[in-house]
């Protein structure tokens, strides 16, 4: 009995205490919106609704593309938003200290996940992440370690190995110009492309994609996936091909074995030493 109590106590001690956020109740058209709570731990965010007809929802951490914290003045401007493709979640919170704590925890956790968070979308979306351009003429498609760039207008396709991409720049909102209000993904390979102008040489991205504002979450996932993808892959060690001189030396040693000067064990040892095994 004593051992059972000790085991139960250890399990409770090891259980992670969640961060709990409570929503605000606000009056709109003389009605109170149903409140909810967020239970946040390292694996997921559980949304618990107090309304009996609204089911609870559990969001795995790997599903979250990004998190946004906004603190301002007034009643309805303090909120925490989880960016999840297809369905973002918003919470108007009560306690700013708890909200800041939750935001710091979530951003740290997402940073620790790195590319793994975005990797979950590669696995689920039939092995691909796809982002169409604003005018539907171009598309970026990620499948494991490749990025395919499609040009529907020119009917061209270019396949890039992700490790060769040096950096990815995300501009969430264009402040001016033809694509104002939309975003850009910019891709650099080997530092970028050099463009000669009348006054100077300018470094530009090798590829860029203008995406609609509604696709910002997918753009963030792609930027995270490309940025955190391992650039140095572990290559399995292979035995180097022996040179002609090495082959000749091994043949001479084999002759010594046949003549009884060397034993098979001595030959095997010398063979490993010559091959560096």
């Amino acid at each position: 009995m004593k051992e059972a109590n000790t085991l139960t106590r250890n399990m409770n001690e090891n259980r992670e205490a969640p961060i709990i956020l409570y929503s605000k109740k606000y009056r709109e058209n003389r009605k109170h919106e149903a409140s909810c709570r967020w239970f946040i731990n390292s694996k997921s965010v559980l949304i618990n609704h107090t309304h009996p007809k609204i089911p609870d929802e559990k969001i795995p951490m790997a599903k979250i593309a990004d998190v946004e914290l906004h603190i301002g003045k007034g009643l309805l401007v303090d909120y925490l938003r989880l960016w999840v493709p297809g369905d973002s979640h918003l919470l108007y919170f009560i306690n700013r200290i708890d909200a800041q704590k939750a935001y710091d925890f979530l951003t740290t956790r997402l940073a620790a996940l790195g590319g793994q968070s975005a990797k979950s979308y590669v696995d689920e979306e039939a092995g691909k992440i796809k982002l169409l351009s604003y005018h539907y003429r171009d598309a970026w498609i990620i499948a494991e370690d490749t990025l395919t760039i499609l040009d529907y207008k020119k009917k061209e396709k270019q396949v890039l190995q992700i490790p060769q991409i040096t950096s990815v720049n995300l501009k969430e909102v264009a402040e001016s110009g033809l694509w104002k209000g939309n975003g850009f993904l910019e891709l650099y390979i080997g530092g970028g492309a050099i463009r000669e102008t009348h006054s100077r040489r300018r470094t530009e991205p090798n590829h860029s994609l203008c995406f609609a504002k509604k696709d910002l979450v997918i753009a963030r996932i792609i930027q995270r996936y490309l940025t955190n993808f391992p650039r140095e892959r572990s290559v399995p060690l292979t035995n180097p091909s022996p040179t002609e001189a090495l082959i000749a030396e091994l043949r001479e040693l084999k002759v010594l074995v046949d003549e009884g000067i060397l034993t098979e064990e001595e030959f095997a040892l010398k063979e490993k030493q010559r091959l560096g095994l």
Side-chain angles (χ1 to χ4, degrees), residues 32 66 143 159 169 214:
H32 286 287
D66 210 345
V159 180
N169 183 33
K214 64 181 179 64

Side-chain angles (χ1 to χ4, degrees), residues 207-226:
H207 302 279
S208 62
L209 182 77
C210 177
F211 58 87
K213 187 177 180 180
K214 64 181 179 64
D215 294 325
L216 175 60
V217 175
I218 299 297
R220 284 176 172 173
I221 291 173
I222 289 179
Q223 192 263 351
R224 174 177 294 168
Y225 186 85
L226 296 179

Side-chain angles (χ1 to χ4, degrees), residues 69-84:
L69 174 66
H70 186 275
I71 296 179
K73 297 180 180 179
L75 181 63
L76 300 179
V77 292
D78 291 352
Y79 63 82
L80 187 72
R81 187 197 306 271
L82 297 182
W83 289 98
V84 180

Side-chain angles (χ1 to χ4, degrees), residues 23-245:
S23 65
K24 283 184 177 180
K25 287 185 177 180
Y26 62 92
R27 187 178 296 276
E28 184 178 357
N29 297 328
R30 298 183 179 181
K31 292 182 180 180
H32 286 287
E33 184 183 83
S35 60
C36 66
R37 295 176 295 177
W38 285 12
F39 295 85
I40 304 171
N41 58 36
S42 60
K43 295 182 178 180
S44 63
V45 176
L46 174 64
I47 301 177
N48 170 237
H49 295 278
T50 57
H51 197 288
K53 294 184 179 181
I54 303 177
D56 295 344
E57 186 172 359
K58 188 175 183 179
I59 307 172
M61 192 65 63
K63 288 279 190 181
I64 301 172
D66 210 345
V67 58
E68 176 187 358
L69 174 66
H70 186 275
I71 296 179
K73 297 180 180 179
L75 181 63
L76 300 179
V77 292
D78 291 352
Y79 63 82
L80 187 72
R81 187 197 306 271
L82 297 182
W83 289 98
V84 180
D87 186 17
S88 62
H89 299 269
L90 190 68
L91 176 73
Y92 294 102
F93 52 80
I94 295 176
N95 192 305
R96 292 184 176 182
I97 296 177
D98 290 343
Q100 184 67 54
K101 182 180 178 181
Y103 173 76
D104 294 339
F105 179 84
L106 286 169
T107 51
T108 302
R109 184 59 185 161
L110 290 178
L113 285 175
Q116 294 303 315
S117 178
K119 183 70 164 57
S120 64
Y121 296 101
V122 177
D123 295 337
E124 292 187 1
E125 297 296 329
K128 297 179 180 178
I129 304 175
K130 184 175 182 180
L131 177 63
L132 286 168
S133 63
Y134 175 75
H135 42 56
Y136 298 103
R137 295 178 184 173
D138 309 282
W140 284 12
I141 302 174
I142 292 177
E144 296 183 353
D145 60 349
T146 60
L147 170 64
T148 302
I149 299 176
L150 298 178
D151 188 330
Y152 296 118
K153 185 177 180 181
K154 297 181 180 179
K155 296 182 179 180
E156 294 178 351
K157 179 174 73 172
Q158 184 176 3
V159 180
L160 301 174
Q161 296 296 319
I162 294 178
Q164 75 184 86
I165 300 171
T166 53
S167 62
V168 182
N169 183 33
L170 172 63
K171 295 181 179 179
E172 295 192 356
V173 179
E175 300 294 341
S176 60
L178 182 63
W179 308 113
K180 183 178 180 180
N182 298 299
F184 281 91
L185 270 175
E186 297 177 338
L187 188 67
Y188 293 85
I189 300 174
I194 303 297
R195 180 181 176 184
E196 298 283 353
T197 63
H198 293 290
S199 57
R200 60 187 177 87
R201 300 177 69 190
R202 186 169 61 187
T203 302
E204 294 185 340
N206 300 91
H207 302 279
S208 62
L209 182 77
C210 177
F211 58 87
K213 187 177 180 180
K214 64 181 179 64
D215 294 325
L216 175 60
V217 175
I218 299 297
R220 284 176 172 173
I221 291 173
I222 289 179
Q223 192 263 351
R224 174 177 294 168
Y225 186 85
L226 296 179
T227 300
N228 292 283
F229 195 90
R231 293 298 183 264
E232 295 182 3
R233 296 194 151 219
S234 57
V235 180
L237 295 176
T238 57
N239 296 332
S241 57
T243 62
E244 293 181 2

